[in-house]
Amino acid sequence: MDACSLNWELASKFIPLVTPIVAWCIFRQWKKQKRAELLSSKCHDTYRDLNNFCELMNDYVDAHKDNLNHPENNNVLYGAEKDLKLKVEDLYKKILSDLELISFESKDESINKHYENFKLNFDKLAELMYKTLEKGSFQKNKLSFQLDDKGDEDLRYYKIIVNENRKDIQNNINNLKKILPKFIFFNIR
């Protein structure tokens, strides 16, 4: 019986040494899991924001083009275009902030690449829209264009470029939406 007995006095001296090591191992695993869970949640929110951004951006560009087609009917300074512009810009800033965090936490270069393209294309679109408004003249808070033959051609060219740029942004969004699910459905290794 003495051969199978455990020396409890000796074991009680080692338990205080082993307990912190076990607790530290459990904490590290929990921390890794929590980080993956938070990244997953942020990616899910960003995925949803990208969907909303796509819809808002299309409405905003359509309202802008409608103002260019019928400047006499629309109030650019206080109308739907201005409201949509503020919503689009706020959501854009939130998405950029979230994508920076996701890129940092995930260490995924493809997110960073698509983030840069998305930012570049949106900034180009915003600049195009602003430059076009500069060409117009405001009279009583209404936009009007004094277009000659060259101006009319510039407007057609502008609409083509805006549509191409909008497609580029949508491609960037679709590429990001293809990448994000692998972080939404996280697994811990």
Side-chain angles (χ1 to χ4, degrees), residues 51-62 84 87-88 91:
N51 284 334
N52 292 339
F53 180 81
C54 211
E55 291 174 19
L56 279 174
M57 185 197 61
N58 286 331
D59 291 345
Y60 172 53
V61 171
D62 289 341
L84 286 170
K87 289 178 185 176
V88 166
L91 194 53

Side-chain angles (χ1 to χ4, degrees), residues 38-98:
L38 291 173
L39 180 63
S40 171
S41 176
K42 182 59 77 177
C43 288
H44 184 264
D45 293 345
T46 303
Y47 190 92
R48 201 172 352 169
D49 288 343
L50 286 168
N51 284 334
N52 292 339
F53 180 81
C54 211
E55 291 174 19
L56 279 174
M57 185 197 61
N58 286 331
D59 291 345
Y60 172 53
V61 171
D62 289 341
H64 181 76
K65 285 177 18 181
D66 192 43
N67 282 339
L68 297 178
N69 290 334
H70 308 288
E72 68 282 352
N73 297 335
N74 292 297
N75 189 333
V76 178
L77 292 178
Y78 303 105
E81 183 179 345
K82 182 181 179 196
D83 293 340
L84 286 170
K85 179 182 180 194
L86 295 174
K87 289 178 185 176
V88 166
E89 287 177 349
D90 287 346
L91 194 53
Y92 170 70
K93 289 174 186 173
K94 182 182 182 310
I95 289 171
L96 286 184
S97 170
D98 290 349

Side-chain angles (χ1 to χ4, degrees), residues 146-159:
Q146 309 299 328
L147 296 175
D148 52 7
D149 290 337
K150 184 184 179 324
D152 202 26
E153 189 174 313
D154 285 347
L155 195 57
R156 280 193 296 275
Y157 176 70
Y158 163 77
K159 290 177 186 176

Side-chain angles (χ1 to χ4, degrees), residues 79-181:
E81 183 179 345
K82 182 181 179 196
D83 293 340
L84 286 170
K85 179 182 180 194
L86 295 174
K87 289 178 185 176
V88 166
E89 287 177 349
D90 287 346
L91 194 53
Y92 170 70
K93 289 174 186 173
K94 182 182 182 310
I95 289 171
L96 286 184
S97 170
D98 290 349
L99 287 174
E100 281 180 22
L101 180 68
I102 291 167
S103 177
F104 177 76
E105 282 296 318
S106 68
K107 314 264 189 290
D108 191 324
E109 284 299 315
S110 60
I111 289 179
N112 199 32
K113 183 182 100 176
H114 293 300
Y115 161 82
E116 292 296 331
N117 289 339
F118 173 63
K119 186 176 175 182
L120 180 73
N121 286 325
F122 184 80
D123 290 346
K124 190 164 83 172
L125 177 68
E127 184 180 343
L128 279 170
M129 294 170 84
Y130 181 74
K131 283 184 179 179
T132 303
L133 288 178
E134 280 183 338
K135 289 182 181 182
S137 61
F138 288 95
Q139 298 167 347
K140 296 184 181 176
N141 295 333
K142 300 268 183 184
L143 176 66
S144 63
F145 288 94
Q146 309 299 328
L147 296 175
D148 52 7
D149 290 337
K150 184 184 179 324
D152 202 26
E153 189 174 313
D154 285 347
L155 195 57
R156 280 193 296 275
Y157 176 70
Y158 163 77
K159 290 177 186 176
I160 291 169
I161 289 180
V162 166
N163 281 333
E164 288 174 0
N165 201 279
R166 179 175 24 182
K167 287 177 188 173
D168 289 343
I169 292 171
Q170 288 172 334
N171 286 337
N172 293 132
I173 289 172
N174 289 335
N175 289 333
L176 285 166
K177 286 169 49 177
K178 287 177 186 174
I179 295 170
L180 289 176

